[in-house]
Amino acid sequence: MLILHYTGMKTGQAALDRLRDPAAAVSSHYVVEEDGTVFRLVPEGRRAWHAGVSHWRGHTALNARSIGIEIVNPGHEWGYRDFPVLQLAAVCDLCLLVLARHGIPARNVVAHSDVAPDRKEDPGERFDWRALAENGVGLWPEESPDIGTTGAIRDAATLRPVRAALAEIGYRVATEGALDPALSAVLRAFQRHWRPEAVTGQADDGTLVRLLGVQRAVRGG
C-alpha cells in the first residue's frame, strides 16, 4: 500500500524534527516539502510508524504493509491551505517511483483519512487526488459529475448498497444500519478523497454518483 499524509504541523522543519525524534515514536518513509524537496527518512524495505490504528480492504496493522509519504502542510488545525504545484509534482514523481518498485495496485493508493476515518483528515479535500490519478497514481472515477448535495438518504434499507460500495472500495463499515456517526465519518473520508466539492458526511446525490464511479474503477483495477 501507499498511504499519503499531511504533516499537520506549523512548519516543515518542525515535522522533520518530530519524525526524526525517537521519543516521538512516529516516522514515515518520505517527507515532501512545499518547494518540492524530498527527504527520505526510512528505507522502503523497513517499517515506518505512520498509519497507526488502521484498516483497508480487510487488512489491519498497515504499517507492516505500506509506504508512508508525509506532505508538508499545516493541516486543518494550523491553517490548512492548497498544496503548491511544485510540491504536487514532486509527490507525483515520488509516488510513481514507489509504485514501479513495489507493484502497488491503484486501489491501494490511499489517504490517511481513508484508513483511519474516525480520527484522521489528511491529506484532506485540498489535495489534488484527481491530478495524481490522471498521471498514473491512484484511481479517479470517469464520468462522475458533481450533481450537488440534494437527496441525502438516511434509512437503513436505502443505505445498504452505499455501505456495500464503501466496503468494496476498502473502508471498514458495518453492513447494516441507518446513518450514524461511524458511517458519516467514512463518508467524509470518501468525500475528502473522491468528492471534495462538499465534505458533508451525507450520502447525497453527488456523493452517490461519485461512489458508484469509484466502485466501478476499483472493479476495473
Side-chain angles (χ1 to χ4, degrees):
M1 293 184 61
L2 178 58
I3 302 176
L4 305 189
H5 310 249
Y6 63 40
T7 52
M9 300 187 73
K10 291 182 178 180
T11 66
Q13 187 59 54
L16 283 167
D17 291 344
R18 184 166 188 266
L19 289 164
R20 292 187 292 195
D21 179 3
V26 62
S27 56
S28 68
H29 295 90
Y30 296 96
V31 174
V32 182
E33 256 288 7
E34 290 186 294
D35 65 359
T37 302
V38 177
F39 299 88
R40 190 185 77 167
L41 303 186
V42 178
E44 291 177 13
R46 302 190 67 178
R47 184 180 307 188
W49 299 94
H50 60 96
V53 178
S54 50
H55 173 277
W56 191 250
R57 299 185 66 82
H59 298 285
T60 58
L62 299 180
N63 286 328
R65 58 188 306 118
S66 63
I67 303 295
I69 298 176
E70 291 275 359
I71 305 161
V72 173
N73 188 291
H76 293 82
E77 185 177 358
W78 301 108
Y80 190 41
R81 56 180 177 249
D82 289 342
F83 296 80
V85 173
L86 283 175
Q87 185 182 41
L88 286 171
V91 169
C92 185
D93 289 345
L94 175 58
C95 288
L96 288 170
L97 291 171
V98 170
L99 296 178
R101 284 192 287 266
H102 297 281
I104 297 169
R107 63 180 179 271
N108 283 347
V109 179
V110 295
H112 198 190
S113 55
D114 291 321
V115 302
D118 57 334
R119 58 189 187 85
K120 294 296 180 180
E121 301 174 302
D122 58 309
E125 60 277 7
R126 291 179 180 268
F127 187 72
D128 197 345
W129 286 101
R130 182 171 189 164
L132 256 67
E134 289 172 348
N135 284 280
V137 179
L139 294 174
W140 191 264
E142 297 180 1
E143 299 178 0
S144 299
D146 177 31
I147 60 172
T149 58
T150 58
I153 56 176
R154 294 174 171 270
D155 65 283
T158 312
L159 282 171
R160 193 172 295 124
V162 173
R163 290 177 177 274
L166 289 166
E168 184 175 353
I169 291 166
Y171 296 97
R172 177 158 52 189
V173 60
T175 57
E176 295 283 345
L179 186 69
D180 56 17
L183 180 59
S184 285
V186 172
L187 285 167
R188 281 192 294 273
F190 172 85
Q191 290 163 340
R192 284 192 170 97
H193 189 150
W194 284 293
R195 205 287 175 106
E197 295 91 342
V199 181
T200 63
Q202 301 292 316
D204 53 50
D205 289 338
T207 299
L208 295 180
V209 168
R210 202 66 57 82
L211 179 64
L212 292 175
V214 176
Q215 185 182 34
R216 287 193 297 268
V218 166
R219 290 175 177 176

